[in-house]
Amino acid sequence: MELAYYSNLAVRLVNSEEPVRGNDALTSVDAVRALFGESKQAARRATDADVTRLRSVRARLRAVFEAASEGDEVRAVDLLNALLIEFPVSPQISGHETRDEDGGPDWHMHIADYAANAGAGFAATASMGLAFHLTELGADRLGICEAAPCRNAYLDTSTNRSRRYCSDRCATRANVAAYRARKRLDAERTAAADRSPRPPREDRDRTGRTADTAQDTSPARER
């Protein structure tokens, strides 16, 4: 099954909004059609009503990613199961349009939806793809970018499950910000040390010598 393709539909939908920055790219039928990517036939079914439908699904898919990134696997699964129940799909064997090395049909599993509208069809395939990704690779592979204020969703495909950012750009920005923060902290510590009071000096007599080492140099008195 084209797991990566279907699960990326969920990422594409979630990242059509930047909630912290207040940006929303999902504002027109053309924007909806762009989400479908290679599925041109499904995209042609999109109408104005699908903008509202997919915005609602987007918020629910983001909640799945957020729960998974926070380590709440049970909540992530519950939220995703609710989407699967609401937007069911039918798996089908496909391959007539592709050929294997021997020239025969390249049979593979394909997610087919029979939804009444484009928005529901997109939600069905995106949710199913995300479900396969979660069950095959683990809920901890669903993440939210840690480079503030990004908050984009991503699928961690690294070998050591170490991904923290949605892109190299965000990773670079976060590393630079962390470096600058360390430099500021070092500068503040140095300034604080310079401002701290120094130990009091020893009391000195008027001649400039310390009191405990001063000697009486006045002439001896005759008795």
Side-chain angles (χ1 to χ4, degrees), residues 5-26:
Y5 171 76
Y6 290 121
S7 56
N8 279 329
L9 291 179
V11 174
R12 195 179 305 168
L13 176 58
V14 172
N15 292 346
S16 66
E17 180 187 29
E18 296 177 302
V20 177
R21 294 188 175 100
N23 298 330
D24 189 349
L26 192 57

Side-chain angles (χ1 to χ4, degrees), residues 9 12-17 24-37 43-44 46-48 50-52 54-55 58 118-119 122:
L9 291 179
R12 195 179 305 168
L13 176 58
V14 172
N15 292 346
S16 66
E17 180 187 29
D24 189 349
L26 192 57
T27 58
S28 65
V29 176
D30 288 339
V32 170
R33 289 172 178 163
L35 290 173
F36 283 87
R44 283 194 291 269
T47 66
D48 289 331
D50 290 310
V51 175
T52 302
L54 286 180
R55 280 181 172 179
R58 179 178 64 189
F122 187 97

Side-chain angles (χ1 to χ4, degrees), residues 4-214:
Y5 171 76
Y6 290 121
S7 56
N8 279 329
L9 291 179
V11 174
R12 195 179 305 168
L13 176 58
V14 172
N15 292 346
S16 66
E17 180 187 29
E18 296 177 302
V20 177
R21 294 188 175 100
N23 298 330
D24 189 349
L26 192 57
T27 58
S28 65
V29 176
D30 288 339
V32 170
R33 289 172 178 163
L35 290 173
F36 283 87
E38 298 177 358
S39 302
K40 303 299 183 182
Q41 184 175 356
R44 283 194 291 269
R45 301 170 55 200
T47 66
D48 289 331
D50 290 310
V51 175
T52 302
R53 292 189 185 104
L54 286 180
R55 280 181 172 179
S56 175
V57 173
R58 179 178 64 189
R60 296 169 67 181
L61 284 172
R62 175 173 286 278
V64 174
F65 277 94
E66 289 177 342
S69 68
E70 293 167 2
D72 194 344
E73 296 185 6
V74 174
R75 176 169 170 74
V77 170
D78 287 344
L79 292 170
L80 191 50
N81 274 335
L83 285 164
L84 294 172
I85 293 171
E86 185 174 347
F87 302 104
V89 295
S90 299
Q92 289 184 343
I93 300 174
S94 181
H96 292 293
E97 71 283 359
T98 58
R99 297 292 169 178
D100 59 20
E101 295 179 355
D102 299 326
D106 184 15
W107 301 116
H108 60 277
M109 293 300 295
H110 176 76
I111 294 179
D113 73 88
Y114 299 98
N117 56 72
F122 187 97
T125 52
S127 298
M128 180 60 74
L130 197 59
F132 272 104
H133 195 100
L134 186 151
T135 54
E136 290 295 318
L137 302 178
D140 58 345
R141 294 288 189 161
L142 279 60
I144 293 292
C145 186
E146 296 182 13
C150 178
R151 304 300 293 168
N152 271 353
Y154 65 84
L155 298 172
D156 185 359
T157 56
S158 64
T159 56
N160 57 356
R161 301 173 185 262
S162 61
R163 186 171 177 179
R164 298 168 55 198
Y165 309 104
C166 68
S167 64
D168 291 340
R169 179 181 179 182
C170 277
T172 299
R173 188 172 73 249
N175 290 334
V176 170
Y179 171 78
R180 290 176 176 171
R182 289 194 300 269
K183 296 294 288 184
R184 285 196 300 270
L185 181 60
D186 290 342
E188 290 171 359
R189 288 174 175 172
T190 301
D194 291 340
R195 291 193 301 268
S196 61
R198 296 180 180 180
R201 295 180 179 181
E202 295 178 304
D203 292 333
R204 296 176 180 273
D205 61 13
R206 294 180 179 179
T207 63
R209 290 170 297 177
T210 56
D212 56 345
T213 59

